[in-house]
């Protein structure tokens, strides 16, 4: 419940001294003869909460705190997406470059943990979209909570976070990448070098599954197939987000558990679809690292990528979240 600002008379009574405690005591003495102690107690509580609110201090109720500014929300989206790219791509590097994990399950699980932590740390400020396709869907289907004019600032912050996060990640693993390139005779920017950039960029099919052992070739997964996988994976993620946060959902759960649900969704999507197209399901997570690897010498292997497939990772998620929003609202509210 929002507090009303004190009237000028109330402020005149309570502003005679600098310290709030002394103001309260003097105000009580001032009105003691009138016997209206309840009124001055109410005035004091209102004034204290109002003062804390205007100064940005926390009050007894979280609802009384000042709402975050757009710049604060953009910073949260920047940091959250940066966390996703720094540690999520770090998981990829540890797996592909350093052979630290066996199989996709640890990769999917660690990606889920990374996303959960990113959501937990930023949701109270920006809502933790951390994904342009999610911001698009919220503006489209929940404009009362996320107005359309915020879409571009959010997307810009997400892309900036993805660029910085992936650049830091590359800096951490750059020596190991160069050593592996030299050992395997890989020339950066040439066809085949996508194996070394695949921790950062998404390719279809997953370069780690192409070879004589599997019989897969670069044509095993088509651009249309990769587009469908990205739309399906991101759509499923958006559907879960809407279900967990919808006010009419009878199993609506706490914010912390929502973050866990989102992380579990990412984990299962990565574990299932990563062999097909490395599962970006986030245009910022895909395009930001592509810009970094392009600048580092991977050239056309990064942009537009083999089979000119970059578009599938940029367009597919928006299509997926749009259909997810339509499906969710049809289920919850009817056609």
């Amino acid at each position: 419940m929002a507090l009303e600002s004190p009237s000028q008379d109330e402020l005149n009574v309570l502003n005679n001294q600098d310290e709030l405690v002394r103001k309260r005591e003097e105000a009580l003495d001032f009105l003691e003869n009138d016997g209206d102690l309840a009124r001055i107690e109410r005035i004091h509580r209102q004034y204290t909460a109002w003062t804390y609110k205007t100064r940005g201090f926390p009050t007894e109720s979280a609802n009384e705190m000042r709402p975050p500014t757009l710049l604060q929300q953009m910073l949260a989206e920047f940091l959250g997406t940066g966390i996703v790219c720094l540690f999520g791509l770090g998981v990829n590097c540890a797996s592909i470059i350093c052979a630290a994990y066996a199989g996709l399950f640890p990769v999917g699980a660690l990606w889920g943990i990374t996303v959960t932590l990113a959501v937990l740390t930023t949701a109270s400020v920006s809502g933790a979209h951390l994904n342009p396709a999610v911001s698009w869907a919220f503006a489209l289907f929940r404009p009362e909570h996320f107005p359309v004019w915020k879409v571009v600032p959010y997307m810009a912050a997400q892309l900036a976070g993805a660029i910085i996060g992936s650049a830091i990640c590359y800096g951490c693993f750059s020596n190991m990448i160069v050593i592996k390139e030299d050992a395997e005779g890989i020339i950066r920017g040439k066809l085949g070098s996508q194996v070394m950039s695949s921790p950062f960029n998404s390719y279809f099919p997953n370069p780690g599954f192409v070879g004589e052992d599997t019989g897969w070739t670069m044509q095993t997964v088509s651009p249309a197939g990769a587009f469908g996988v990205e739309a399906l994976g991101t759509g499923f993620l958006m559907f879960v987000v809407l279900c967990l946060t919808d006010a009419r959902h009878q199993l609506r759960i706490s914010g912390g558990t929502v973050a866990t649900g989102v992380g579990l969704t990412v984990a299962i999507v990565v574990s299932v679809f990563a062999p097909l197209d490395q599962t970006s399901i986030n245009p910022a997570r895909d395009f930001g690292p592509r810009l970094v690897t392009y600048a580092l010498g991977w050239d056309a292997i990064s942009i537009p990528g083999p089979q000119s497939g970059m578009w599938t990772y940029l367009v597919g998620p928006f299509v997926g979240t749009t259909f997810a929003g339509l499906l969710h609202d049809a289920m919850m509210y009817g056609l």
Side-chain angles (χ1 to χ4, degrees):
M1 181 180 67
L3 293 173
E4 297 179 358
S5 299
S7 67
Q8 187 60 48
D9 290 339
E10 293 169 343
L11 290 177
N12 290 338
V13 171
L14 295 172
N15 269 330
N16 290 328
Q17 303 294 332
D18 293 333
E19 297 179 13
L20 291 177
V21 174
R22 293 178 60 186
K23 291 173 185 175
R24 178 179 181 276
E25 292 174 351
E26 290 184 6
L28 285 171
D29 292 338
F30 179 78
L31 292 180
E32 186 175 4
N33 293 333
D34 294 337
D36 196 359
L37 299 181
R39 177 174 178 271
I40 193 58
E41 287 282 5
R42 177 180 60 81
I43 293 172
H44 174 68
R45 287 195 302 270
Q46 284 190 342
Y47 178 72
T48 302
W50 177 76
T51 303
Y52 281 5
K53 180 179 178 181
T54 56
R55 293 176 183 173
F57 299 150
T59 62
E60 293 181 357
S61 171
N63 292 329
E64 298 301 330
M65 295 180 67
R66 287 187 298 178
T69 65
L70 177 61
L71 286 178
Q72 288 175 298
Q73 292 174 329
M74 291 175 65
L75 179 59
E77 289 295 301
F78 170 84
L79 292 174
T81 313
I83 290 171
V84 169
C85 286
L86 171 56
F87 293 101
L89 300 181
V91 169
N92 292 352
C93 287
S95 176
I96 297 171
I97 305 300
C98 304
Y101 316 121
L104 277 176
F105 179 76
V107 175
L110 291 171
W111 262 99
I113 293 172
T114 298
V115 172
T116 299
L117 294 175
V119 172
L120 284 173
T121 53
T122 60
S124 61
V125 178
S126 67
H129 296 184
L130 315 182
N131 186 330
V134 171
S135 296
W136 157 263
F138 272 122
L140 194 62
F141 296 101
R142 300 293 182 270
E144 68 277 12
H145 299 298
F146 186 72
V148 174
W149 63 267
K150 284 188 176 183
V151 170
V152 172
Y154 264 54
M155 288 184 179
Q158 291 156 1
L159 179 59
I163 292 172
I164 298 301
S166 57
I168 295 173
C169 182
Y170 177 83
C172 293
F173 289 91
S174 58
N175 287 341
M176 283 67 77
I177 292 173
V178 171
I179 290 171
K180 193 173 180 67
E181 285 175 330
D182 292 341
E184 299 185 8
I186 294 173
I187 300 176
R188 187 173 297 190
K190 300 296 183 180
L191 190 62
S193 65
Q194 61 265 34
V195 174
M196 292 294 100
S197 62
S198 62
F200 304 92
N201 306 334
S202 295
Y203 299 108
F204 57 88
N206 187 325
F209 288 81
V210 175
E212 295 180 357
D213 293 341
T214 61
W216 290 20
T217 68
M218 291 296 295
Q219 285 70 43
T220 298
V221 178
S222 67
F227 171 84
V229 168
E230 287 298 301
L232 180 60
T234 318
F236 179 53
L237 173 63
M238 191 70 216
F239 182 78
V240 171
V241 169
L242 291 172
C243 286
L244 295 181
T245 58
D246 194 287
R248 290 188 58 183
H249 203 287
Q250 293 186 5
L251 295 180
R252 190 181 183 190
I253 53 182
S254 66
T257 314
V258 169
T260 304
V262 172
L264 289 173
T265 304
V266 171
I268 190 65
V269 170
V270 170
S271 298
V272 172
F273 291 140
L276 304 179
D277 75 333
Q278 294 195 266
T279 317
S280 172
I281 61 172
N282 184 333
R285 170 260 175 271
D286 183 78
F287 190 55
R290 283 185 191 274
L291 292 174
V292 172
T293 55
Y294 182 88
L296 290 170
W298 271 278
D299 300 333
I301 295 298
S302 293
I303 300 175
Q307 304 184 64
S308 298
M310 181 181 71
W311 69 271
T312 63
Y313 300 98
L314 301 182
V315 179
F318 287 99
V319 174
T321 56
T322 300
F323 275 99
L326 292 171
L327 182 62
H328 172 271
D329 284 3
M331 179 184 75
M332 294 297 295
Y333 302 101
L335 297 175

